[in-house]
Amino acid sequence: MDDFAERCVQEAHRLHVVLQDWLRGTLPRTAEGFAPFADALADPCRVVSPLGTITERAELLTEFEAIHGVLAAQGNAFVIRVENALVLRQWGDHALVSYEERHDLGDESSARLSTALYTADENAPLGVAWSHIHETWLPGRAPVAGERFPVEVA
């Protein structure tokens, strides 16, 4: 795996730690605290959720900024893990990466299979930006409530 592909895999792990910490409220709710997430998304960036909803970059940023600390009371019981990351294709300054994203919250858990298209971007945290993400629930691993997390976050 070359340096670009390795950075794409590292970025999958890095961003999910950022999301976990944002939801736990351990990152400050400031522009600097949100930048590790916002700066990682290309413009344009699109997410196709496991339920088939499409969210564009601006809406995604607004949505995630608003849920800062929503799982703070759960502390370290809320964990996001990325497993089985695999570079499927790489060409020029793009790479297509597949990985499993697992959310745990106490006895609740969910898991999805995600495919992300990364594009080289020197302004992104690891020099690669998320351009497109498509997620689907792994069989039998959809959350009890909600689309993104093991429990409903209002």
Side-chain angles (χ1 to χ4, degrees):
M1 185 177 332
D2 71 9
D3 177 64
F4 179 75
E6 181 63 33
R7 285 185 288 129
C8 291
V9 169
Q10 290 172 359
E11 174 59 19
H13 291 277
R14 184 204 69 82
L15 185 71
H16 288 88
V17 170
V18 168
L19 291 174
Q20 169 190 275
D21 293 346
W22 184 259
L23 295 170
R24 286 179 179 175
T26 57
L27 288 174
R29 190 173 190 174
T30 63
E32 294 79 19
F34 196 57
F37 175 72
D39 293 350
L41 302 183
D43 190 10
C45 178
R46 170 181 279 192
V47 176
V48 180
S49 80
L51 297 180
T53 59
I54 297 172
T55 308
E56 302 293 342
R57 183 180 191 275
E59 182 181 353
L60 188 67
L61 292 173
T62 299
E63 175 185 325
F64 274 93
E65 197 287 324
I67 59 174
H68 176 267
V70 71
L71 295 172
Q74 306 301 325
N76 291 338
F78 175 66
V79 177
I80 301 177
R81 296 185 322 276
V82 168
E83 299 177 351
N84 302 317
L86 177 65
V87 177
L88 300 173
R89 298 283 185 271
Q90 182 180 347
W91 65 101
D93 63 353
H94 295 79
L96 188 64
V97 177
S98 174
Y99 59 89
E100 294 172 17
E101 179 182 337
R102 300 180 181 274
H103 292 200
D104 298 314
L105 181 58
D107 294 335
E108 298 288 329
S109 67
S110 66
R112 64 193 84 193
L113 178 62
S114 300
T115 305
L117 175 62
Y118 294 96
T119 304
D121 182 343
E122 64 185 31
N123 297 314
L126 295 182
V128 297
W130 299 73
S131 295
H132 185 88
I133 303 134
H134 195 135
E135 304 174 322
T136 189
W137 297 121
L138 287 170
R141 299 303 310 272
V144 173
E147 181 171 321
R148 298 191 188 276
F149 308 104
V151 295
E152 191 72 46
V153 292

